[in-house]
Amino acid sequence: MKCLLVAVNAKYIHSNPAIMSLKAYYDKYSSAQAEVITCEYTINQQMDFIVSDIYEKQPNVVCFSCYIWNVEEIKYIADTLKKVMPKLKIWAGGPEVSYRAEEFLKCNSAFDGIMCGEGEKTFTNLMSALEGKCGLKDIAGICYRAEEIKHNPMSEPMDMNEIPFIYEDLSDFENRIIYYESSRGCPFSCSYCLSSIDKKLRFKDIQNVKKELSFFIDNKVKQIKFIDRTFNAKKNHAMEIWSFIHENDNGITNFHFEVAADLIDDEQLELFKKMRPGLIQLEIGIQSTNAETITEINRTMNLDKVYRVIRVINSYGNIHQHVDLIAGLPYETLEIFKKSFNDVYALKCDQLQLGFLKVLSGSKMYDESNNYEIKYTSTAPYEVLSTKWITYYDVIKLKQIEEMVEIYYNSGQFKKTVELLEIYYDNPFELYEKLGEFYHNKFKQNEKHSRIARYELLLEFAKEEKIPVINSLCECMTYDIYIRENCKKRPEFAIDLNDYKDKLKELYKKYSQSGKNIHIDIFDGKYVLFDYDERGVDGNAKAKICE
């Protein structure tokens, strides 16, 4: 018997640790004789190519890893496969199907069953059943078709130390993100999140974690993304890992963590302060700053402490911070969300992710959606369209703002320019709102623009808005361009350097003797050197005034 474990990832750089973990556990513990193969594709590939590729492998069983970003594609793939391979057994697992297994099977006839919850042990037992060594009725954690749809009791939470290390061979992960988990479960009960369902917080033995992290460090892996839902839920566990990667820093590997900022204390901050720039990056979910909303979504958060911790870490200048907001939560009107946006924007983190509520089956938000009058898309990702507090028109406006934040803030390519523009608006939300309206009126469809074109559009916007400092704005844009890259073609809005060529020639002779990749320009009468061989944690060149 041949079984394919199939992932359909959002991007090529992503990997799927779920299917790798299922295979590793099966290989170590199973007495079944099935050949188990992992196959990874992306949603950007033609679905018919994926169907044909699976067909050519002629499996007896296919198991799909399902999430909100790929479930619609997987339903198409499975439906097509069943038509050309009617005897093929098709199973699914993952958060998108685990919490509505019976409903999913009723609506999708191509699937024979669902693995619910953690899959390693369940998959291994399923392979034994499909080989006839036991019955499906004997396996915990599955929902399947018999005379009628059967839903067996859930399996017990796993001991994480039983799960084998899945990255013994790194040859398939060049230029891809590696995901790693040191814990499962979440101590919080946020009503919009499926992680809150798994209340049993479990940790991998810290010595095993250190051994596995050493493997990544020794192999100079570029980035490790921890998928622990709240990495610092247990202080001692987090501190041991943070101390270990600090003490064993190879100067290359970066580690990403999703954390609760208000659980970070002064001891942890002191450790952060000592770390190499770029060693770690933090993702912090704030979601809303409206007290009524925070209470309603069962979120536990000390906002004052969150703000303090983020500002202290920012002051170190060595750690990339990414903060999240969610639009469409209960009790948040457009005006209230505007305040949340401005509150979080004021923290000046490296990125601000403006996301939209997803109403996920199994979550408390799903159960309460009628009370909140939430309208959301019928297919994945089940994204909010309107609520009792915001209209679809508001959502459209927020989508425009989200795009502008992605382009002009999160890219990090317009820092000085945006800081200057902010002065001429009452608050940041208003700036991005006006920018969003400008783009919407100018481009009726989603158009792609080069980086230089984005600057030119920003200049056109400023002129339309009658911003009085156009010359200063042009200087800021020129600065932002050159601090990022040594642009070969000088932008049209930059000042002409012919009047300064003698002085520039002298400065280049002085500073370029070491063979460094540099650019020298003039801003407000001062000569500024950009050194592209030395970059900060934000990726920008080191800039200094020439003496």
Side-chain angles (χ1 to χ4, degrees):
M1 185 171 69
K2 181 191 289 187
C3 174
L4 302 187
L5 289 166
V6 177
V8 184
N9 301 325
K11 297 178 181 178
Y12 170 76
I13 62 167
H14 297 167
S15 56
N16 187 299
I19 64 169
M20 291 186 286
S21 190
L22 264 60
K23 175 173 167 52
Y25 189 92
Y26 173 86
D27 288 345
K28 182 172 182 178
Y29 296 108
S30 179
S31 60
Q33 302 302 309
E35 178 188 10
V36 175
I37 302 168
T38 59
C39 301
E40 297 196 53
Y41 306 97
T42 80
I43 59 174
N44 300 312
Q45 291 176 292
Q46 291 290 329
M47 293 303 107
D48 289 338
F49 163 78
I50 298 175
V51 170
S52 63
D53 194 63
I54 292 173
Y55 179 83
E56 288 172 1
K57 291 178 171 60
Q58 285 293 296
N60 306 101
V61 183
V62 174
C63 300
F64 289 99
S65 180
C66 299
Y67 301 86
I68 56 174
W69 64 79
N70 69 8
V71 70
E72 296 304 320
E73 288 83 357
I74 285 173
K75 286 192 290 188
Y76 173 85
I77 294 166
D79 184 67
T80 308
L81 281 170
K82 202 72 166 186
K83 289 174 180 175
V84 296
M85 302 178 73
K87 293 183 180 180
L88 178 67
K89 298 295 183 185
I90 301 180
W91 284 71
E96 176 50 26
V97 295
S98 282
Y99 303 105
R100 57 185 187 107
E102 292 181 49
E103 175 195 346
F104 187 84
L105 288 180
K106 287 175 183 176
C107 297
N108 297 279
S109 60
F111 292 85
D112 296 280
I114 304 294
M115 291 175 278
C116 306
E118 290 177 297
E120 287 90 351
K121 193 173 290 185
T122 301
F123 171 73
T124 294
N125 293 335
L126 175 63
M127 288 297 99
S128 293
L130 293 178
E131 285 190 343
K133 296 180 179 179
C134 62
L136 291 175
K137 62 182 176 59
D138 302 316
I139 300 174
I142 63 169
C143 181
Y144 61 98
R145 299 183 192 280
E147 299 81 16
E148 57 186 23
I149 293 175
K150 303 281 189 181
H151 202 315
N152 293 352
M154 293 297 288
S155 57
E156 290 295 313
M158 293 186 63
D159 179 349
M160 288 200 68
N161 295 300
E162 294 179 0
I163 301 171
F165 186 55
I166 61 176
Y167 291 109
E168 298 292 355
D169 181 4
L170 292 174
S171 59
D172 291 335
F173 296 96
E174 189 174 352
N175 301 318
R176 300 175 74 194
I177 298 170
I178 288 180
Y179 297 95
Y180 181 82
E181 61 179 348
S182 69
S183 67
R184 285 183 181 175
C186 182
F188 301 116
S189 303
C190 304
S191 65
Y192 53 84
C193 183
L194 293 179
S195 297
S196 63
I197 296 172
D198 186 357
K199 301 304 297 179
K200 187 170 183 182
L201 191 56
R202 293 149 286 150
F203 297 87
K204 187 178 287 188
D205 179 80
I206 196 66
Q207 296 308 318
N208 284 342
V209 173
K210 289 178 180 179
K211 178 183 176 183
E212 290 166 0
L213 294 182
S214 292
F215 175 79
F216 297 134
I217 292 167
D218 292 345
N219 282 279
K220 295 181 171 57
V221 171
K222 188 175 181 181
Q223 184 180 59
I224 306 299
K225 189 167 186 177
F226 275 70
I227 53 176
D228 305 44
R229 298 312 302 155
T230 305
F231 174 76
N232 60 330
K234 183 179 177 183
K235 179 186 173 180
N236 290 346
H237 179 82
M239 277 295 286
E240 283 248 27
I241 293 173
W242 282 331
S243 297
F244 179 80
I245 63 176
H246 170 59
E247 292 162 5
N248 294 274
D249 180 15
N250 62 11
I252 295 170
T253 307
N254 161 267
F255 297 87
H256 175 104
F257 303 94
E258 189 171 335
V259 299
D262 52 344
L263 297 183
I264 295 173
D265 61 18
D266 288 343
E267 182 184 8
Q268 293 164 55
L269 288 173
E270 280 302 308
L271 176 60
F272 290 167
K273 190 176 183 179
K274 300 172 186 174
M275 289 180 172
R276 165 181 63 85
L279 175 60
I280 70 169
Q281 58 190 53
L282 303 177
E283 182 174 349
I284 299 164
I286 296 178
Q287 320 311 5
S288 174
T289 65
N290 180 41
E292 192 174 13
T293 298
I294 293 169
T295 300
E296 185 64 20
I297 62 176
N298 297 332
R299 191 160 175 78
T300 304
M301 181 170 56
N302 182 331
L303 266 177
D304 288 337
K305 188 171 182 186
V306 169
Y307 293 161
R308 174 188 171 268
V309 165
I310 289 174
R311 288 185 175 116
V312 169
I313 294 172
N314 268 346
S315 73
Y316 299 156
N318 63 341
I319 295 173
H320 174 102
Q321 292 191 95
H322 169 131
V323 289
D324 297 326
L325 279 176
I326 297 178
L329 293 173
Y331 296 105
E332 208 159 51
T333 63
L334 185 64
E335 275 302 306
I336 292 173
F337 183 81
K338 177 179 177 178
K339 182 180 183 304
S340 288
F341 180 93
N342 290 328
D343 289 343
V344 174
Y345 190 92
L347 297 170
K348 294 295 183 183
C349 290
D350 298 280
Q351 291 191 331
L352 194 170
Q353 181 69 48
L354 199 175
F356 291 80
L357 176 66
K358 312 292 190 296
V359 183
L360 305 176
S361 297
S363 68
K364 183 174 181 291
M365 188 66 68
Y366 177 85
D367 296 335
E368 296 290 336
S369 59
N370 287 336
N371 294 334
Y372 300 143
E373 297 177 18
I374 301 176
K375 302 292 189 297
Y376 56 94
T377 56
S378 299
T379 57
Y382 316 111
E383 190 168 274
V384 65
L385 298 170
S386 66
T387 72
K388 189 186 292 187
W389 299 275
I390 61 169
T391 66
Y392 184 50
Y393 180 82
D394 296 331
V395 170
I396 291 171
K397 182 184 289 289
L398 290 171
K399 287 282 186 180
Q400 294 169 3
I401 292 169
E402 176 199 25
E403 183 184 6
M404 295 302 99
V405 171
E406 281 297 311
I407 293 168
Y408 288 109
Y409 186 84
N410 289 345
S411 70
Q413 297 174 359
F414 303 85
K415 188 173 181 180
K416 278 194 176 295
T417 309
V418 168
E419 285 174 355
L420 178 60
L421 287 172
E422 285 174 15
I423 296 169
Y424 296 93
Y425 292 87
D426 291 339
N427 54 71
F429 187 93
E430 183 184 335
L431 166 60
Y432 291 99
E433 182 180 24
K434 292 284 189 182
L435 260 173
E437 290 171 359
F438 170 77
Y439 264 71
H440 179 70
N441 293 332
K442 194 168 184 64
F443 309 109
K444 294 304 181 185
Q445 292 184 335
N446 193 17
E447 297 185 25
K448 300 291 184 184
H449 301 282
S450 68
R451 186 179 169 214
I452 294 295
R454 295 291 191 192
Y455 285 100
E456 291 167 345
L457 286 166
L458 203 54
L459 182 58
E460 184 179 342
F461 165 77
K463 289 176 179 177
E464 270 194 23
E465 288 283 292
K466 296 182 169 52
I467 301 295
V469 285
I470 295 301
N471 288 341
S472 296
L473 190 71
C474 290
E475 274 205 352
C476 287
M477 291 194 298
T478 305
Y479 187 96
D480 282 333
I481 286 173
Y482 281 106
I483 199 168
R484 202 75 176 183
E485 63 175 317
N486 195 352
C487 188
K488 301 306 178 188
K489 183 180 178 182
R490 191 164 179 79
E492 292 182 6
F493 51 75
I495 64 167
D496 189 339
L497 294 178
N498 277 333
D499 293 342
Y500 310 95
K501 60 183 179 182
D502 291 339
K503 180 63 175 178
L504 286 169
K505 185 177 180 180
E506 175 188 330
L507 290 171
Y508 271 109
K509 185 176 180 181
K510 177 179 179 181
Y511 289 101
S512 63
Q513 289 177 349
S514 61
K516 280 181 171 286
N517 180 15
I518 64 171
H519 172 76
I520 303 173
D521 219 308
I522 185 165
F523 303 98
D524 196 24
K526 297 183 177 66
Y527 292 91
V528 176
L529 181 148
F530 301 99
D531 187 341
Y532 302 103
D533 293 329
E534 292 188 44
R535 294 182 182 267
V537 69
D538 56 3
N540 287 341
K542 182 178 179 181
K544 67 176 183 178
I545 296 174
C546 297
E547 299 297 333

